[in-house]
């Protein structure tokens, strides 16, 4: 069986972007592939954090995985830091990683610009090497992620090729650069819709855990009235009728895509259904579809409660 790995950081609340871009797409893969889904707590300590909160968020994220439909009898679900080999391989990989490759990472540039050099830990720079280790350790074939992880995946692929080239010896050369003498070169799986869910308050920035305003995202565990309120207040435009793929209407495209994904309809059906609607009639539709889709996940999340079993 081909192997799939992916993970989410247990920081802040899991939001609709994490769900539509990643977790939701993992569910179907469990039946066809060997799947490993981890909670990447070691990635979450690359920015300032609170130990108690991190420990709780790690357990809450596991509950969300299961509530979304990850089946622990089919997939391996675990906490990254519990498997020490992730960090061990990271050290080996980091000796083969040129610093320039890491300096070019967009997420590093953005996050370090905000915090300033003196406040940024080295781990923020080496973060993608740990991610590469998460993936290469298991000789993974595919990695289902949202679009913002594309660059990290590209680095993972280049690193696998570099290690194969440097240390793979004749076996690697015989393969003519294909395959992988030491590491398999993994491929990203980026969904056609939902790979980049945008902020509710600005259709040009992605929905993110770190945006200061909670109004900018739908958290998976937001109560009904909060969802309704966020959709009521979300940014729209003054065009009449609704349409996909108009570059002048990023908010419209985003909200229609979200509606498409949570209602389970096709893009064509949504385009047809919504072309005659205005914002006033579309927003309640979207709100209901969101609430209906998230309700079972919310109920199920509260039924999985993990208690702390050890201190380290
Ligand atoms: P993280 O925790 O930032 O995000 C988890 C997953 O959610 C996706 N995502 C989005 N998708 C669509 N729209 C959005 N607005 C949006 N925001 C986030 C991300 O692309 C990701 O798939 N470094 C990774 C975690 C990681 C990992 C790994 C992933 C660590 N090791 C190994 C795969 C394999 C991260 O910080 O994701």
């Amino acid at each position: 069986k081909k192997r799939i790995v992916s993970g989410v950081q247990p920081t802040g609340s899991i939001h609709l972007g994490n769900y539509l871009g990643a977790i939701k797409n993992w569910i179907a893969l469990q039946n066809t592939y060997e799947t490993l889904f981890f909670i990447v707590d070691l990635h979450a300590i690359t920015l300032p954090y609170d130990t108690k909160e991190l420990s709780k968020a790690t357990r809450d994220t596991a509950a969300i995985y299961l509530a979304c439909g990850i089946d622990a009898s089919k997939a391996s679900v675990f906490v990254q830091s519990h498997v020490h080999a992730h960090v061990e391989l990271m050290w080996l990989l980091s000796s083969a990683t040129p610093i320039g490759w890491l300096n070019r990472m967009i997420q590093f540039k953005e996050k370090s610009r905000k915090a300033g050099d003196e406040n940024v830990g080295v781990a923020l720079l080496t973060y993608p090497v740990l991610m590469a280790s998460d993936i290469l350790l298991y000789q993974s074939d595919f990695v289902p992620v949202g679009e913002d992880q594309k660059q990290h995946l590209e680095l993972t692929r280049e690193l696998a090729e570099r290690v194969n080239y440097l240390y793979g010896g004749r076996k690697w050369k015989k393969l003519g650069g294909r395959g992988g003498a030491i590491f398999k070169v993994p491929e990203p799986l980026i969904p056609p819709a939902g790979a980049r869910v945008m902020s509710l308050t600005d259709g040009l920035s992605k929905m993110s855990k770190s945006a200061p305003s909670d109004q900018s995202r739908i958290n998976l565990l937001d109560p009904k009235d909060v969802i309704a309120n966020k959709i009521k207040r979300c940014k729209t435009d003054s065009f009449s009728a609704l349409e996909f793929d108009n570059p002048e209407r990023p908010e419209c495209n985003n909200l229609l895509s979200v509606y498409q994904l949570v209602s389970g309809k096709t893009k064509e059906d949504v385009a047809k259904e919504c072309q005659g609607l205005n914002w006033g009639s579309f927003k309640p539709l979207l709100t209901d579809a969101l609430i209906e889709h998230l309700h079972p996940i919310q109920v199920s999340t509260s039924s999985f409660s993990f208690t702390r079993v050890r201190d380290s």
Side-chain angles (χ1 to χ4, degrees):
K1 269 193 183 177
K2 299 256 181 194
R3 193 175 283 165
I4 296 228
V5 301
S6 200
V8 172
Q9 288 190 56
T11 42
S13 330
I14 306 287
H15 56 65
L16 203 59
N18 302 131
Y19 176 65
L20 297 177
I23 305 172
K24 183 170 181 281
N25 307 311
W26 301 352
I27 313 300
L29 300 169
Q30 301 174 107
N31 298 322
T32 325
Y33 299 95
E34 184 181 347
T35 45
L36 294 94
F37 300 121
F38 27 76
I39 297 130
V40 290
D41 55 342
L42 295 172
H43 277 98
I45 65 170
T46 55
L47 287 173
Y49 69 104
D50 176 283
T51 47
K52 280 215 181 74
E53 268 171 34
L54 177 62
S55 158
K56 183 177 182 310
T58 301
R59 283 176 273 131
D60 292 349
T61 305
I64 287 187
Y65 279 13
L66 300 184
C68 289
I70 303 293
D71 180 345
S73 68
K74 294 180 185 157
S76 298
V77 180
F78 61 95
V79 177
Q80 180 190 35
S81 65
H82 293 180
V83 181
H84 298 172
H86 289 241
V87 174
E88 290 167 9
L89 177 59
M90 182 217 171
W91 183 253
L92 298 176
L93 288 176
S94 60
S95 78
T97 312
I99 287 191
W101 291 11
L102 299 178
N103 277 329
R104 282 198 286 277
M105 292 294 110
I106 295 167
Q107 286 207 352
F108 170 70
K109 284 196 211 163
E110 281 173 357
K111 289 181 182 170
S112 59
R113 194 184 318 115
K114 271 186 214 155
D117 265 4
E118 293 302 314
N119 298 315
V120 168
V122 172
L124 192 65
L125 179 67
T126 52
Y127 168 123
V129 187
L130 180 59
M131 178 159 164
S133 165
D134 297 339
I135 297 167
L136 301 181
L137 183 62
Y138 299 99
Q139 301 290 11
S140 314
D141 296 281
F142 301 110
V143 186
V145 284
E147 202 181 86
D148 62 347
Q149 296 302 318
K150 211 169 160 181
Q151 199 187 28
H152 291 157
L153 247 300
E154 204 42 55
L155 183 127
T156 302
R157 288 167 55 82
E158 280 167 13
L159 199 47
E161 275 167 5
R162 185 171 160 89
V163 171
N164 286 341
Y165 175 74
L166 291 176
Y167 308 110
R170 289 189 19 229
K171 205 167 148 206
W172 166 249
K173 288 196 185 104
K174 250 200 283 181
L175 290 168
R178 285 178 297 109
I182 295 177
F183 292 126
K184 228 177 221 179
V185 182
E187 282 178 39
L189 280 185
I190 297 180
R196 196 171 167 79
V197 177
M198 308 311 276
S199 154
L200 296 182
T201 47
D202 171 11
L204 295 174
S205 358
K206 72 168 189 199
M207 186 175 285
S208 103
K209 289 177 190 161
S210 58
S213 168
D214 196 55
Q215 291 292 329
S216 68
R217 58 187 161 257
I218 303 275
N219 302 305
L220 237 49
L221 302 184
D222 275 346
K224 285 181 191 176
D225 55 326
V226 172
I227 296 178
N229 190 268
K230 284 178 176 173
I231 297 298
K232 199 184 263 173
R233 293 176 54 185
C234 77
K235 188 171 175 206
T236 56
D237 55 34
S238 49
F239 288 74
S240 58
L242 304 178
E243 58 188 333
F244 279 105
D245 301 322
N246 180 341
E248 284 173 43
R249 306 186 67 187
E251 286 82 14
C252 185
N253 190 59
N254 185 47
L255 296 173
L256 287 183
S257 302
V258 168
Y259 178 59
Q260 177 199 326
L261 292 168
V262 294
S263 68
K265 296 179 180 170
T266 63
K267 185 172 176 182
E268 292 69 36
D269 284 349
V270 169
K272 238 184 256 161
E273 180 185 1
C274 299
Q275 66 189 356
L277 300 181
N278 56 27
W279 289 113
S281 42
F282 172 68
K283 282 188 170 186
L285 267 186
L286 173 61
T287 304
D288 288 348
L290 270 169
I291 291 174
E292 198 178 310
H293 189 96
L294 296 182
H295 181 69
I297 296 177
Q298 299 182 342
V299 171
S300 186
T301 302
S302 50
S303 74
F304 292 109
S305 103
F306 295 103
T307 44
R308 193 172 178 154
V309 290
R310 59 181 205 178
D311 285 318
S312 58

Short mmCIF file of all heavy atoms in Angstrom, two decimals, residues 58-78:
data_model
loop_
_atom_site.label_atom_id
_atom_site.label_comp_id
_atom_site.label_asym_id
_atom_site.label_seq_id
_atom_site.Cartn_x
_atom_site.Cartn_y
_atom_site.Cartn_z
N THR A 58 -3.10 19.82 22.36
CA THR A 58 -2.68 18.57 21.72
C THR A 58 -3.78 17.51 21.85
O THR A 58 -4.16 16.85 20.89
CB THR A 58 -1.36 18.07 22.36
OG1 THR A 58 -0.39 19.09 22.19
CG2 THR A 58 -0.87 16.79 21.73
N ARG A 59 -4.34 17.43 23.06
CA ARG A 59 -5.43 16.45 23.28
C ARG A 59 -6.69 16.87 22.51
O ARG A 59 -7.38 16.05 21.92
CB ARG A 59 -5.71 16.30 24.77
CG ARG A 59 -4.64 15.45 25.45
CD ARG A 59 -4.83 15.37 26.95
NE ARG A 59 -4.16 16.49 27.61
CZ ARG A 59 -4.73 17.26 28.52
NH1 ARG A 59 -5.96 17.06 28.89
NH2 ARG A 59 -4.04 18.24 29.06
N ASP A 60 -6.98 18.18 22.51
CA ASP A 60 -8.18 18.65 21.79
C ASP A 60 -8.06 18.38 20.29
O ASP A 60 -9.04 18.06 19.62
CB ASP A 60 -8.39 20.15 22.02
CG ASP A 60 -8.77 20.45 23.47
OD1 ASP A 60 -9.07 19.49 24.21
OD2 ASP A 60 -8.77 21.65 23.84
N THR A 61 -6.85 18.54 19.77
CA THR A 61 -6.66 18.32 18.33
C THR A 61 -6.88 16.84 18.01
O THR A 61 -7.50 16.50 16.99
CB THR A 61 -5.25 18.78 17.89
OG1 THR A 61 -5.10 20.14 18.28
CG2 THR A 61 -5.06 18.68 16.39
N ALA A 62 -6.41 15.97 18.89
CA ALA A 62 -6.65 14.53 18.68
C ALA A 62 -8.15 14.26 18.66
O ALA A 62 -8.66 13.51 17.81
CB ALA A 62 -5.97 13.72 19.78
N ALA A 63 -8.89 14.89 19.58
CA ALA A 63 -10.35 14.68 19.63
C ALA A 63 -10.99 15.16 18.32
O ALA A 63 -11.88 14.50 17.78
CB ALA A 63 -10.94 15.43 20.83
N ILE A 64 -10.50 16.28 17.81
CA ILE A 64 -11.06 16.80 16.55
C ILE A 64 -10.76 15.84 15.38
O ILE A 64 -11.62 15.58 14.55
CB ILE A 64 -10.54 18.23 16.27
CG1 ILE A 64 -11.24 19.18 17.24
CG2 ILE A 64 -10.77 18.64 14.83
CD1 ILE A 64 -10.99 20.64 17.00
N TYR A 65 -9.56 15.32 15.33
CA TYR A 65 -9.24 14.35 14.26
C TYR A 65 -10.29 13.23 14.25
O TYR A 65 -10.85 12.88 13.22
CB TYR A 65 -7.88 13.68 14.52
CG TYR A 65 -6.63 14.44 14.13
CD1 TYR A 65 -6.66 15.79 13.81
CD2 TYR A 65 -5.40 13.78 14.08
CE1 TYR A 65 -5.48 16.46 13.47
CE2 TYR A 65 -4.23 14.44 13.73
CZ TYR A 65 -4.28 15.78 13.44
OH TYR A 65 -3.12 16.42 13.11
N LEU A 66 -10.52 12.66 15.45
CA LEU A 66 -11.43 11.52 15.52
C LEU A 66 -12.85 11.95 15.18
O LEU A 66 -13.58 11.26 14.46
CB LEU A 66 -11.37 10.87 16.90
CG LEU A 66 -9.99 10.34 17.32
CD1 LEU A 66 -10.08 9.64 18.67
CD2 LEU A 66 -9.41 9.37 16.29
N ALA A 67 -13.23 13.12 15.69
CA ALA A 67 -14.59 13.61 15.44
C ALA A 67 -14.83 13.90 13.96
O ALA A 67 -15.94 13.75 13.45
CB ALA A 67 -14.85 14.87 16.27
N CYS A 68 -13.79 14.28 13.27
CA CYS A 68 -13.93 14.58 11.83
C CYS A 68 -14.01 13.29 11.01
O CYS A 68 -14.31 13.34 9.82
CB CYS A 68 -12.74 15.40 11.32
SG CYS A 68 -12.75 17.09 11.90
N GLY A 69 -13.70 12.18 11.64
CA GLY A 69 -13.84 10.92 10.91
C GLY A 69 -12.55 10.14 10.72
O GLY A 69 -12.53 9.14 10.00
N ILE A 70 -11.47 10.57 11.35
CA ILE A 70 -10.26 9.75 11.32
C ILE A 70 -10.55 8.52 12.18
O ILE A 70 -11.00 8.66 13.33
CB ILE A 70 -9.04 10.51 11.90
CG1 ILE A 70 -8.79 11.82 11.16
CG2 ILE A 70 -7.80 9.62 11.89
CD1 ILE A 70 -8.35 11.67 9.75
N ASP A 71 -10.31 7.37 11.61
CA ASP A 71 -10.65 6.13 12.30
C ASP A 71 -9.36 5.48 12.80
O ASP A 71 -8.54 5.01 12.00
CB ASP A 71 -11.37 5.23 11.28
CG ASP A 71 -11.79 3.90 11.88
OD1 ASP A 71 -11.29 3.55 12.97
OD2 ASP A 71 -12.60 3.21 11.24
N ALA A 72 -9.20 5.46 14.11
CA ALA A 72 -7.93 4.99 14.68
C ALA A 72 -7.70 3.50 14.45
O ALA A 72 -6.60 3.00 14.66
CB ALA A 72 -7.86 5.32 16.17
N SER A 73 -8.73 2.79 13.97
CA SER A 73 -8.48 1.38 13.65
C SER A 73 -7.93 1.25 12.22
O SER A 73 -7.44 0.20 11.83
CB SER A 73 -9.75 0.55 13.82
OG SER A 73 -10.69 0.92 12.84
N LYS A 74 -8.03 2.33 11.45
CA LYS A 74 -7.47 2.31 10.09
C LYS A 74 -6.18 3.13 10.02
O LYS A 74 -5.21 2.74 9.38
CB LYS A 74 -8.47 2.91 9.10
CG LYS A 74 -9.73 2.09 8.92
CD LYS A 74 -10.64 2.78 7.92
CE LYS A 74 -11.98 2.07 7.79
NZ LYS A 74 -13.00 2.98 7.29
N ALA A 75 -6.20 4.30 10.63
CA ALA A 75 -5.04 5.20 10.54
C ALA A 75 -4.23 5.14 11.82
O ALA A 75 -4.76 4.82 12.88
CB ALA A 75 -5.54 6.62 10.31
N SER A 76 -2.94 5.47 11.73
CA SER A 76 -2.15 5.65 12.94
C SER A 76 -2.27 7.11 13.35
O SER A 76 -1.95 7.99 12.57
CB SER A 76 -0.67 5.36 12.69
OG SER A 76 -0.51 4.04 12.31
N VAL A 77 -2.76 7.33 14.56
CA VAL A 77 -2.91 8.69 15.06
C VAL A 77 -2.00 8.83 16.27
O VAL A 77 -2.10 8.03 17.20
CB VAL A 77 -4.38 8.96 15.48
CG1 VAL A 77 -4.55 10.37 15.99
CG2 VAL A 77 -5.33 8.69 14.31
N PHE A 78 -1.10 9.80 16.22
CA PHE A 78 -0.18 9.92 17.36
C PHE A 78 0.38 11.33 17.48
O PHE A 78 0.20 12.17 16.60
CB PHE A 78 0.95 8.88 17.24
CG PHE A 78 1.81 9.05 16.02
CD1 PHE A 78 2.99 9.76 16.07
CD2 PHE A 78 1.43 8.49 14.80
CE1 PHE A 78 3.79 9.91 14.94
CE2 PHE A 78 2.22 8.63 13.67
CZ PHE A 78 3.41 9.35 13.74
#
